[in-house]
């Protein structure tokens, strides 16, 4: 009996030790998370550098004061009486103007830091395992790509894209129909917000939902829960239809996509440095670790492999 008693005492001590270790691990995670947020915020709170920012906020001021969409270009004398082309960013321009009007330069810089932290935070919420490694990877990614976090409408694309990814993985792992319906509703609402913030960039939202649909269609090929997966596929098709309607609801309607087509086919792109694809040596040198890690995770994890593979291909193409 004494040996049993001693064994129980030892087990209790071990249990207490493991509890403390888990507690320390949780505290270490929170400290690391706060440290990462501070680092990301610091990296992304540099001075205002984008020259387009000034006409973006001026456009927002015009929109708020006139309560009408800008139809003719008010900025360039070479485009007098010609159509204003940035109607697809009208909502982002108003937001940027309101932030600048309220907080000035400092407000815009702080807002940029908040957007960066929120975008990364949404992705880290998906990292339930190996989260310490993911935090380091996230900070490294922000350091490399901080030049993209300029005070432009694309800031809203970063955070909405991260929100789409967060919801997409939640949908893939969801077990209840209520949760799936809620997420599909969120997809539609975010798509409507996105197309008014940054125009054609919202097509990435449709692409993400399409990738989920293909993943569910692949699951439906198996005999296990085939009918349920087919029903989920039909739900996603309906969601895509509603998202397609949301894409043409903004004030500029179809012109969002005609403008995108014209822009990509414009021959003057060859003379605009920021529109040039990144040179292959620099591109490979900067990003090869991300692709190695992504492909390795895809092979090892083997979870939602079709969705993850298509997502990786899309982001790899757009990153250049």
């Amino acid at each position: 009996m004494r040996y049993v008693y001693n064994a129980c005492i030892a087990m209790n001590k071990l249990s207490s030790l493991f509890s403390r270790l888990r507690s320390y691990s949780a505290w270490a995670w929170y400290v690391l998370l706060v440290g990462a947020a501070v680092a990301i915020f610091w990296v992304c709170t540099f001075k205002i550098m984008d020259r387009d920012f000034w006409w973006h906020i001026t456009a927002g001021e015009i929109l708020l004061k006139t309560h009408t969409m800008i139809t003719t270009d008010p900025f360039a004398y070479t485009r007098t009486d010609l159509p204003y082309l940035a109607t697809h960013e009208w909502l982002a321009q108003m937001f940027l103007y309101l932030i600048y009007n309220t907080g000035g330069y400092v407000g815009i810089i702080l807002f940029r830091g908040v957007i960066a932290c929120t975008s990364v935070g949404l992705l880290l919420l998906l990292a339930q395992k190996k989260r310490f490694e993911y935090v380091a990877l996230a900070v490294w990614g922000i350091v490399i790509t901080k030049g993209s976090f300029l005070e432009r409408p694309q800031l809203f694309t970063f955070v909405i894209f991260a929100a789409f990814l967060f919801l997409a993985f939640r949908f893939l792992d969801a077990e209840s129909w209520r949760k799936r319906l809620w997420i599909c509703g969120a997809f539609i609402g975010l798509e409507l917000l996105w197309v008014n913030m940054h125009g054609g960039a919202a097509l990435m939202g449709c692409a993400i939902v399409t990738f989920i649909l293909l993943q569910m269609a692949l699951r439906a090929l198996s005999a296990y829960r085939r009918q349920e997966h087919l029903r989920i596929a039909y739900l996603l098709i309906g969601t895509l239809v509603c998202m397609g309607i949301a894409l043409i609801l903004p004030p500029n309607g179809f012109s969002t996509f005609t403008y995108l087509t014209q822009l990509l086919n414009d021959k003057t792109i060859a003379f605009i440095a920021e529109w040039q694809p990144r040179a292959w040596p620099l591109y490979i040198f900067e990003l090869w670790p991300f692709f190695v890690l992504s492909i390795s995770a895809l092979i090892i994890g083997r979870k939602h492999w079709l969705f993850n593979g298509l997502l990786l291909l899309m982001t790899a193409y757009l990153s250049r």
Side-chain angles (χ1 to χ4, degrees):
M1 291 297 294
R2 191 178 70 179
Y3 291 116
V4 172
Y5 175 77
N6 289 336
C8 290
I9 293 295
M11 289 298 294
N12 286 331
K13 289 183 177 180
L14 283 174
S15 178
S16 177
L17 177 62
F18 286 137
S19 296
R20 289 182 181 180
L21 288 174
R22 282 194 294 267
S23 177
Y24 293 148
S25 177
W27 276 106
W29 162 243
Y30 291 127
V31 170
L32 183 62
L33 198 60
V34 171
V38 171
I40 292 169
F41 193 82
W42 174 261
V43 168
C44 291
T45 50
F46 47 85
K47 66 180 181 179
I48 293 177
M49 299 180 64
D50 188 69
R51 296 175 182 177
D52 287 351
F53 168 74
W54 304 109
W55 68 259
H56 277 305
I57 61 171
T58 304
E61 182 180 13
I62 294 171
L63 288 165
L64 283 168
K65 289 183 176 179
T66 62
H67 302 288
T68 56
M69 295 296 294
I70 303 173
T71 54
T72 56
D73 199 314
F75 303 116
Y77 74 90
T78 55
R79 291 188 54 82
T80 302
D81 298 326
L82 290 177
Y84 178 62
L85 298 177
T87 53
H88 58 286
E89 300 169 325
W90 68 277
L91 190 56
Q93 290 169 340
M94 287 201 302
F95 265 88
L96 289 173
Y97 169 71
L98 288 172
I99 295 168
Y100 177 77
N101 191 49
T102 303
Y105 309 101
V106 175
I108 290 292
I109 292 170
L110 295 178
F111 175 71
R112 190 202 301 133
V114 170
I115 286 288
C117 289
T118 305
S119 302
V120 173
L122 285 169
L123 299 180
L124 288 178
L125 286 175
L126 297 169
Q128 299 300 322
K129 300 177 181 179
K130 298 184 179 179
R131 48 194 180 183
F132 294 98
E133 296 93 323
Y134 289 142
V135 167
L137 191 63
V139 174
W140 179 27
I142 289 293
V143 169
I144 290 177
T145 61
K146 75 171 186 176
S148 299
F149 282 87
L150 297 176
E151 46 286 338
R152 301 173 61 94
Q154 69 194 41
L155 281 177
F156 300 96
T157 279
F158 292 143
V159 70
I160 297 175
F161 181 71
F164 256 92
L165 291 182
F166 174 79
L167 291 172
F169 284 103
R170 286 290 184 266
F171 186 95
L172 287 166
D173 294 328
E175 293 294 334
S176 69
W177 269 92
R178 182 178 180 181
K179 188 172 184 179
R180 294 187 188 113
L181 288 170
W182 183 88
I183 292 174
C184 285
F187 280 146
I188 297 168
L190 282 172
E191 187 72 4
L192 184 59
L193 178 65
W194 199 350
V195 72
N196 284 287
M197 286 289 191
H198 203 201
L203 289 170
M204 289 190 289
C206 293
I208 290 172
V209 177
T210 301
F211 298 161
I212 302 174
L213 173 61
L214 293 174
Q215 180 69 57
M216 289 299 173
L218 180 64
R219 291 182 185 178
L221 294 177
S222 63
Y224 176 65
R225 298 170 66 182
R226 176 180 296 177
Q227 291 301 320
E228 182 178 356
H229 290 141
L230 282 174
R231 289 174 60 201
I232 296 172
Y234 295 145
L235 172 63
L236 289 168
I237 291 172
T239 301
L240 280 171
V241 170
C242 293
M243 290 172 68
I245 296 172
L247 288 174
I248 59 175
L249 282 180
N252 49 334
F254 285 103
S255 64
T256 295
F257 307 104
T258 56
Y259 169 66
L260 183 62
T261 304
Q262 293 170 2
L263 197 63
L264 294 176
N265 293 321
D266 193 335
K267 295 182 180 179
T268 60
I269 287 177
F271 303 101
I272 304 174
E274 66 181 273
W275 277 84
Q276 302 309 305
R278 301 166 78 170
W280 275 111
L282 180 62
Y283 178 74
I284 297 298
F285 176 76
E286 287 186 343
L287 296 182
W288 71 264
F290 289 95
F291 291 123
V292 170
L293 290 170
S294 299
I295 294 171
S296 300
L298 186 65
I299 295 172
I300 295 171
R302 292 182 295 178
K303 187 177 182 182
H304 315 314
W305 65 267
L306 181 59
F307 172 82
N308 288 322
L310 291 171
L311 184 65
L312 178 60
L313 288 174
M314 181 182 74
T315 52
Y317 173 76
L318 292 176
S319 67
R320 186 168 180 262

